[in-house]
Amino acid sequence: MSGHDHHDPGFIRKYVFSVDHKVIGIQYTVTSLLFLFLGFALMMIMRAQLAYPKADFSFLENIFGEAGFVGGTMLPEFYNQLGAMHGTIMVFLGVVPLAVGGFGNYVMPLQIGAPDMAFPKLNMASYWVYFTGGVVMICSFFVEGGAAQYGWTSYPPLANTQPHLIGQTMWLVGMVFLITSSLLGSVNFIVTIVQLRVKGLTFFRLPFFVWAQFITSFLLLLAFPPLEAAGVLQLMDRVAGTSFFMPDGLIISGSPAVNAGGGNPLLWQHLFWFLAHPEVYVLILPAMGIVGEIVANNTRKPLWGYRSLVYSVIFLGFMSFIVWAHHMFMTGMGQSMSIFFQTTTMIISIPSVIILTALILSLWGGSIRFNTPMLFALSFLPMFAIGGLTGLPLGLAASDIQLHDTYYVIGHFHFVVAPGTLMALFAGVYFWYPKVTGRMMNSALGKLHWIGTLVFLNGVFIPMFVQGMAGVSRRLYDQTHYEHGQAVQEWTIASSWSAWLLGIAQIPFILNFFMSFFAGKKVDQNPWKATTLEWAAPSPPPHGNFATEPEVYRGPYEYSVPGASDDYSPQFVK
Amino acid sequence: MSAPVIRYIDEPHPITGLTNGKLGLWLFLASEVMLFGALFSSYILLRVGADSWPDGWDVLNVPLATLNTVVLISSSVTMVMAWVGCRLNNLGKFRFYMSLTIALSLVFLVIKTIEYKPKFEHYEAFLADGALVKGYEGSESITGHLDENDLDKDYILFSPDAVQHGTSGDDEHSDHEKGGEGHAEQIRINRLDIDRLTNFGPKHSNFYGLYFTMTGLHGLHIVGGIAVNLYFLLFGTGMFRSNPAQFSNRIECAGLYWHFVDLVWIFLFPTIYLL
């Protein structure tokens, strides 16, 4: 290989069509942060309609044109497009690519001491397929009739009723790209973790973050294909006129649907949730992994119950495949089904509680360093707890009857994903930024970002529990149309203002992210005095990662070992 | 800066006993199992929920499908032989058997096309309540052929198949049995008397929808396999000479994929044609 040592691959090969996992990780991170911002922007527009229904939004009309507004008033169709695309973008284009594609790609090979992923070209393909899927999704806003408007779940028969609108068809095509991307990525992750660990790095010496990525990859690998099958079936329904999801005797806008009938709308829901429930754990497991790393590092103590954490993650991954129908209690699928799925749902809460408990107990007796990543990681714990505990009434069929499809559900899963996962992802950005760029992020701006984000995220989502208990349906375009909605309209307004202020609270982060790249304090290879392998590489790591191949001598979190000279004993130091 | 050296590309990992490529391929196949598993599950759910379901052997072309099964299994055998050619370091043998594999896969696709085509030219008209079509009173639907130029007119000229009272199912074979002379006289049906007019394509019913979706998706996998095999046949010679171990590894992986595609057909054939 020496002939290639000083070969300069050129700008395009090095930064655009790169096969280096670190460049791809950065590409994923930047792209998904942009998508997160886009999804958030869509939501801020929705919040305007929700807080001030049918008010004059002429300033928005000037931006979006006639397609979404009439005389300054937002059209319900446009509102529905915003809602469907907010969910799709946040889940499939924002959080998962950031947590898995971004952090996983960048950090995981470093943490196992590998020079790169097992299949570098496949890794590049995975990113560009994801990128294409994202482009297809965004383009769907500009076609006639606009983007998909049937919710991120795309339930048929509704999603099939307007086959002439190609927004939904583009949504399905975009999903096929995203599924392909995550398939390529997950195969790559699993092979890399199984095959390319350095000498001495046994499975039970793996950092918790790697374990989380490992299980996440299995979920992506095995749960996504059924959604692909469902997507193909719905595509056939829309394009080829089949009726897989169109029941007999369907009346659309007053006239009988012209198709063969005999289809089953519940089939879509089963296939969809077979993906979408494991997807919830795809969203949360990498976040738990990040929090685990940061908590251990900043308490200067080993993680409490490392093995229980690992076993819990494995069990959680397995159980996540058999809880999907708790999303369907209200479909009339039958009581025995509901009982089975509420039982499995109660069982799956056990490993989640074990993980959270272990993370909290890790804090006990530690001399905690309250730096920016730690503040974000610490706030993950109560936020995820609220998200998890508010899920219990939804997981029990009886109480779900009251709460199903209300804002309570929105509040519940956003508490898991937004104040939960997003807090952990921000923590990860602050934690690994010095590794990626060789410079620290500014601490004052970081703390400003943290307090604003924490306060306003709660301001956005706590009102939703109140709305939901009052019975406000999650898909309403104007809740003041109903009396029970009028009663809680102030909460909606509070939630909307929190959302807009949350947007302002991100300004310090954006400034910090770009300014620190040029002006941040330069750091050595291990600024946090951490123990895992990524800190054995220079900051930023060169192509090939390690100057000499590291070897691992101990477990991942050997902090404050009695008798050791430092309060941390890295895995890579004999 | 040296280029990263990734291990276990051509020699297996001492503990797992697998090369990276083979482990990756097995994982990919696991995901494919979930994809086709979801489709088979959909088939079961839709079939048990259906009011009526045609017998596969009655409405589909079983002899052609049987022939296709033989063709596909043979191609799996030639695929193994191509791999053997690699292992024996015999380029001629590899090329011969790889070409044969590709040829057999193309034959499979041609037969599939022959099987698909008549279904798109054969129509069924579901008649509106009370409609009287001369000679066909009491039948809910009639099947036959029509001039496709008529599809946008307000009437159609329909050449019905031989009348089969009491069944509304389609039968390709009845066409062949009748030979050229068999069509009954053309009849003219007013559009208003027709509830739904459809060819025997995917939109005809869920049976045909699943038939086309599942065999179509399987066909796409065949096309993918042909692309991969063609790549190895046309551009593989360099690696065959420079790194025979890795090349035969790749052929083995391509072969694993090919056997999987074959296996899917082994499940598809009885499920759709025979049950």
Side-chain angles (χ1 to χ4, degrees):
Chain A
M1 285 310 214
S2 60
H4 295 283
D5 274 6
H6 303 290
H7 174 67
D8 182 10
F11 180 80
I12 299 267
R13 283 267 164 210
K14 205 167 169 185
Y15 296 110
V16 184
F17 294 104
S18 172
V19 291
D20 186 323
H21 75 98
K22 296 183 293 298
V23 179
I24 297 169
I26 294 169
Q27 287 175 328
Y28 260 116
T29 306
V30 172
T31 317
S32 54
L33 280 172
L34 288 174
F35 274 118
L36 279 176
F37 186 75
L38 175 67
F40 183 51
L42 298 184
M43 192 273 282
M44 287 198 280
I45 301 169
M46 291 168 76
R47 294 297 333 173
Q49 160 67 23
L50 288 171
Y52 305 107
K54 296 183 185 157
D56 185 6
F57 299 124
S58 301
F59 65 103
L60 287 175
E61 186 171 2
N62 294 335
I63 303 171
F64 293 94
E66 307 270 309
F69 295 85
V70 170
T73 311
M74 193 186 294
L75 292 172
E77 290 81 3
F78 185 67
Y79 175 83
N80 282 344
Q81 288 174 31
L82 295 177
M85 295 310 285
H86 165 74
T88 307
I89 288 172
M90 283 303 197
V91 172
F92 296 110
L93 291 163
V95 175
V96 174
L98 181 56
V100 181
F103 286 110
N105 245 320
Y106 197 99
V107 176
M108 183 275 285
L110 284 166
Q111 285 194 329
I112 63 167
D116 206 316
M117 297 285 270
F119 309 110
K121 285 180 191 154
L122 208 62
N123 205 9
M124 176 183 81
S126 160
Y127 171 76
W128 286 104
V129 172
Y130 153 72
F131 186 82
T132 313
V135 170
V136 171
M137 289 288 188
I138 289 184
C139 286
S140 71
F141 273 108
F142 303 104
V143 298
E144 183 156 3
Q149 46 180 297
Y150 313 107
W152 81 287
T153 52
S154 289
Y155 276 4
L158 180 64
N160 279 347
T161 48
Q162 296 166 304
H164 57 283
L165 297 181
I166 63 170
Q168 177 66 18
T169 310
M170 287 177 78
W171 185 89
L172 292 166
V173 172
M175 283 310 293
V176 171
F177 276 104
L178 298 178
I179 293 167
T180 308
S181 160
S182 78
L183 165 68
L184 300 179
S186 56
V187 167
N188 213 343
F189 273 56
I190 298 172
V191 173
T192 306
I193 295 172
V194 172
Q195 302 271 92
L196 298 186
R197 284 168 289 121
V198 285
K199 196 174 167 208
L201 190 59
T202 58
F203 266 98
F204 276 106
R205 283 178 175 178
L206 282 179
F208 183 54
F209 178 76
V210 176
W211 264 110
Q213 291 287 343
F214 190 52
I215 302 302
T216 302
S217 300
F218 273 102
L219 299 185
L220 286 173
L221 181 77
L222 300 176
F224 251 129
L227 181 66
E228 187 154 28
V232 168
L233 294 179
Q234 192 175 108
L235 205 59
M236 290 292 281
D237 270 6
R238 292 183 67 86
V239 178
T242 56
S243 56
F244 296 126
F245 304 124
M246 302 296 261
D248 282 332
L250 189 68
I251 308 285
I252 300 170
S253 309
S255 50
V258 180
N259 58 42
N264 188 342
L266 276 194
L267 173 61
W268 169 270
Q269 296 193 24
H270 280 297
L271 292 174
F272 181 86
W273 288 115
F274 188 84
L275 155 86
H277 200 84
E279 180 80 8
V280 172
Y281 294 93
V282 171
L283 296 167
I284 198 70
L285 290 183
M288 290 169 165
I290 293 171
V291 170
E293 298 298 304
I294 295 173
V295 163
N297 176 250
N298 288 304
T299 53
R300 316 305 291 166
K301 277 176 58 202
L303 273 186
W304 193 89
Y306 169 79
R307 283 200 177 222
S308 337
L309 281 168
V310 170
Y311 289 133
S312 298
V313 167
I314 297 171
F315 186 60
L316 199 66
F318 170 75
M319 285 303 290
S320 73
F321 282 99
I322 47 172
V323 295
W324 77 88
H326 67 210
H327 296 268
M328 299 163 60
F329 286 147
M330 296 291 280
T331 58
M333 63 184 176
Q335 202 178 18
S336 48
M337 289 274 277
S338 294
I339 290 170
F340 174 79
F341 282 103
Q342 85 174 16
T343 310
T344 54
T345 304
M346 292 304 115
I347 293 173
I348 202 175
S349 64
I350 297 170
S352 318
V353 169
I354 293 176
I355 291 173
L356 200 62
T357 310
L359 288 173
I360 291 172
L361 285 178
S362 302
L363 304 173
W364 187 264
S367 60
I368 300 174
R369 300 192 305 206
F370 289 99
N371 49 33
T372 319
M374 187 58 173
L375 288 174
F376 275 97
L378 283 176
S379 39
F380 167 88
L381 302 174
M383 295 298 104
F384 176 71
I386 295 175
L389 289 172
T390 52
L392 286 177
L394 297 171
L396 294 164
S399 44
D400 184 53
I401 294 172
Q402 162 73 12
L403 299 169
H404 187 87
D405 247 355
T406 65
Y407 266 98
Y408 183 92
V409 180
I410 309 275
H412 153 66
F413 70 73
H414 277 89
F415 251 100
V416 176
V417 180
T421 300
L422 272 184
M423 287 306 237
L425 293 178
F426 280 132
V429 171
Y430 286 100
F431 187 64
W432 280 302
Y433 192 90
K435 177 53 56 187
V436 177
T437 62
R439 288 172 188 273
M440 276 291 187
M441 283 177 96
N442 183 292
S443 175
L445 281 175
K447 282 170 183 163
L448 189 65
H449 175 221
W450 167 72
I451 190 72
T453 305
L454 183 65
V455 169
F456 295 125
L457 273 175
N458 280 284
V460 175
F461 297 116
I462 285 175
M464 292 188 178
F465 293 126
V466 183
Q467 279 177 282
M469 306 261 225
V472 179
S473 160
R474 63 188 282 192
R475 308 240 185 244
L476 286 184
Y477 150 78
D478 173 10
Q479 72 177 49
T480 59
H481 190 69
Y482 301 94
E483 221 170 274
H484 68 278
Q486 283 162 11
V488 289
Q489 180 64 12
E490 302 81 46
W491 289 94
T492 313
I493 294 171
S495 174
S496 288
W497 277 100
S498 295
W500 300 323
L501 291 171
L502 178 63
I504 292 169
Q506 303 312 305
I507 291 172
F509 174 70
I510 297 169
L511 288 177
N512 203 350
F513 192 83
F514 289 107
M515 275 164 47
S516 302
F517 189 75
F518 302 104
K521 189 171 65 109
K522 286 205 170 181
V523 294
D524 62 354
Q525 63 178 35
N526 194 356
W528 305 114
K529 307 208 179 308
T531 49
T532 45
L533 272 177
E534 76 268 37
W535 307 104
S539 310
H543 194 48
N545 294 347
F546 299 93
T548 51
E549 194 180 320
E551 198 173 324
V552 166
Y553 304 98
R554 55 179 68 80
Y557 305 114
E558 306 266 317
Y559 288 102
S560 307
V561 179
S565 55
D566 287 318
D567 70 344
Y568 66 112
S569 315
Q571 286 188 288
F572 46 86
V573 176
K574 203 162 186 175
Chain B
M1 273 192 11
S2 61
V5 180
I6 295 163
R7 291 205 178 130
Y8 310 121
I9 287 178
D10 44 14
E11 99 272 19
H13 188 284
I15 295 173
T16 60
L18 293 168
T19 58
N20 292 344
K22 211 192 277 182
L23 178 60
L25 198 95
W26 279 116
L27 291 167
F28 170 67
L29 293 186
S31 146
E32 291 280 273
V33 167
M34 295 302 287
L35 174 66
F36 282 98
L39 286 172
F40 278 101
S41 311
S42 307
Y43 174 93
I44 295 168
L45 201 86
L46 287 170
R47 182 167 182 170
V48 296
D51 292 334
S52 63
W53 198 263
D55 294 317
W57 39 267
D58 195 24
V59 296
L60 298 175
N61 199 326
V62 177
L64 273 186
T66 313
L67 178 61
N68 248 351
T69 311
V70 175
V71 168
L72 205 57
I73 292 177
S74 314
S75 80
S76 261
V77 176
T78 58
M79 186 82 206
V80 175
M81 294 308 287
W83 173 70
V84 170
C86 283
R87 294 305 295 257
L88 295 176
N89 223 358
N90 183 339
L91 184 61
K93 188 169 181 169
F94 162 71
R95 280 186 172 159
F96 173 73
Y97 280 108
M98 196 49 124
S99 311
L100 203 58
T101 309
I102 295 169
L104 284 168
S105 353
L106 289 172
V107 168
F108 180 90
L109 288 181
V110 168
I111 294 178
K112 205 83 223 155
T113 315
I114 295 172
E115 203 191 312
Y116 276 179
K117 194 159 175 285
K119 298 195 170 41
F120 287 97
E121 295 162 348
H122 195 203
Y123 281 81
E124 179 158 18
F126 295 88
L127 301 175
D129 285 347
L132 288 178
V133 180
K134 191 181 154 214
Y136 297 91
E137 290 96 323
S139 59
E140 288 170 357
S141 72
I142 51 176
T143 62
H145 293 76
L146 51 84
D147 186 346
E148 301 195 4
N149 296 325
D150 288 349
L151 279 174
D152 52 352
K153 294 185 183 155
D154 55 2
Y155 64 90
I156 51 168
L157 292 172
F158 205 81
S159 315
D161 304 333
V163 192
Q164 296 175 316
H165 285 293
T167 62
S168 59
D170 151 62
D171 192 350
E172 233 79 47
H173 311 113
S174 60
D175 276 355
H176 303 302
E177 284 154 20
K178 279 180 291 150
E181 31 88 53
H183 282 306
E185 231 170 286
Q186 261 190 350
I187 52 171
R188 182 183 158 124
I189 313 179
N190 195 323
R191 260 303 159 104
L192 293 175
D193 294 333
I194 300 178
D195 248 358
R196 197 163 75 89
L197 177 70
T198 171
N199 57 18
F200 281 82
K203 68 180 178 211
H204 178 273
S205 57
N206 278 340
F207 172 78
Y208 283 96
L210 283 168
Y211 163 72
F212 279 105
T213 308
M214 292 170 86
T215 57
L217 201 64
H218 176 257
L220 281 180
H221 279 77
I222 300 265
V223 172
I226 291 176
V228 170
N229 287 346
L230 211 53
Y231 172 82
F232 286 134
L233 181 65
L234 298 179
F235 305 105
T237 319
M239 185 180 256
F240 185 93
R241 298 221 167 88
S242 66
N243 193 346
Q246 193 179 344
F247 187 70
S248 72
N249 245 329
R250 289 190 170 186
I251 297 301
E252 192 179 351
C253 288
L256 280 173
Y257 170 77
W258 194 250
H259 299 325
F260 174 80
V261 174
D262 196 357
L263 189 70
V264 170
W265 178 256
I266 302 288
F267 279 92
L268 271 180
F269 176 51
T271 308
I272 293 190
Y273 291 80
L274 303 181
L275 284 175

